[in-house]
Amino acid sequence: MASPSSAPHLFLFAASLLLLSSSPATATDHIVGANHGWNPGINYTLWANNQTFYVGDLISFRYQKSQYNVFEVNQTGYDNCTTDGATGNWSSGKDFILLDKAKRYYFICGNGQCFNNMKVSVLVHALPSPPGGSGNSSDKSAAERVLDNAIGFTGYQLGVCGLVAAILMAPVWF
Ligand SMILES: *[C@@H]1O[C@H](CO)[C@@H](O)[C@H](O)[C@H]1NC(C)=O
Ligand SMILES: *[C@@H]1O[C@H](CO)[C@@H](O)[C@H](O)[C@H]1NC(C)=O
Ligand SMILES: *[C@@H]1O[C@H](CO)[C@@H](O)[C@H](O)[C@H]1NC(C)=O
Ligand SMILES: *[C@@H]1O[C@H](CO)[C@@H](O)[C@H](O)[C@H]1NC(C)=O
Ligand SMILES: *[C@@H]1O[C@H](CO)[C@@H](O)[C@H](O)[C@H]1NC(C)=O
Ligand SMILES: *[C@@H]1O[C@H](CO)[C@@H](O)[C@H](O)[C@H]1NC(C)=O
């Protein structure tokens, strides 16, 4: 039998699990071209227009790594199929790229296939602020947000954890 004093603890423990599981919506992995993957002759504008991208989502490229690759470029690179000044490049054949800023991203294939439509541009939207959220998450540096994603905790969740810890400790003080 549980002693009378442990009952509130069990209740609060269960309540804290519920709170933690009601975390903000999880990130989406947007697979470029869906089941067509990253290949020539596909209109990726149609693909991109059919989904909504939010900060923290991933975009992933699936392709034959012996044939293709991925470069992150600016609008000039996208329009003209040039990789000059590219800010990133990937070639694993299964690349997961974190979209950590609310902005328009441009990706192209760097081996000439950009001219066969291997280019995609996606507009990433800021997340709606979480209920009771305090800060403006766009104030955070990219590094902080990458860290948040790596740890899998948002400031909101950390706040909830602190609150729950305080509640759980409270009976000890009586
Ligand atoms: C791809 O589709 C978009 C939207 O319908 C269209 O504007 C664009 O011209 C198409 N691109 C090509 C290369 O066909
Ligand atoms: C748009 O997305 C829906 C659901 O994800 C899918 O059924 C549909 O085929 C997509 N359309 C295009 C043009 O990709
Ligand atoms: C990109 O191509 C356009 C014509 O399509 C040209 O006017 C412009 O100078 C090119 N920009 C660069 C940076 O090469
Ligand atoms: C894109 O980057 C190239 C090379 O760094 C630069 O010359 C060009 O002005 C940039 N274009 C835009 C739209 O920022
Ligand atoms: C690819 O990115 C790495 C850094 O991540 C850089 O050193 C390298 O020069 C890039 N390659 C090309 C072809 O831009
Ligand atoms: C967050 O801050 C940025 C710049 O500091 C601002 O542009 C943006 O509108 C703010 N967003 C909200 C939801 O307050």
Side-chain angles (χ1 to χ4, degrees):
M1 269 292 279
S3 70
S5 71
S6 70
H9 289 81
L10 288 174
F11 170 76
L12 287 167
F13 182 66
S16 68
L17 287 182
L18 276 175
L19 274 172
L20 285 172
S21 63
S22 69
S23 55
T26 49
T28 303
D29 175 23
H30 303 272
I31 301 171
V32 173
N35 55 344
H36 299 292
W38 184 230
N39 284 295
I42 295 166
N43 188 334
Y44 290 107
T45 303
L46 291 176
W47 171 81
N49 285 348
N50 199 25
Q51 36 213 298
T52 309
F53 300 85
Y54 290 105
V55 169
D57 285 359
L58 296 168
I59 187 169
S60 67
F61 293 82
R62 321 272 168 109
Y63 56 95
Q64 287 286 320
K65 66 176 176 179
S66 58
Q67 291 186 272
Y68 310 122
N69 57 26
V70 180
F71 281 77
E72 183 181 350
V73 296
N74 62 17
Q75 186 176 5
T76 306
Y78 177 85
D79 289 343
N80 290 19
C81 285
T82 56
T83 58
D84 301 338
T87 49
N89 62 75
W90 296 265
S91 54
S92 78
K94 198 170 181 185
D95 308 320
F96 295 87
I97 301 168
L98 176 64
L99 302 168
D100 66 351
K101 291 194 183 72
K103 65 165 192 178
R104 186 170 280 281
Y105 283 79
Y106 301 92
F107 300 98
I108 68 171
C109 182
N111 68 355
Q113 293 299 326
C114 174
F115 294 105
N116 285 327
N117 283 346
M118 288 184 73
K119 47 166 36 186
V120 63
S121 138
V122 302
L123 180 60
V124 176
H125 299 278
L127 277 176
S129 32
S134 49
N136 176 343
S137 65
S138 65
D139 291 341
K140 284 189 175 188
S141 74
E144 279 175 317
R145 269 176 279 124
V146 169
L147 193 62
D148 283 351
N149 276 289
I151 301 171
F153 270 78
T154 63
Y156 169 67
Q157 286 169 310
L158 287 173
V160 169
C161 281
L163 184 64
V164 168
I167 292 170
L168 287 174
M169 289 301 289
V172 176
W173 300 328
F174 289 103

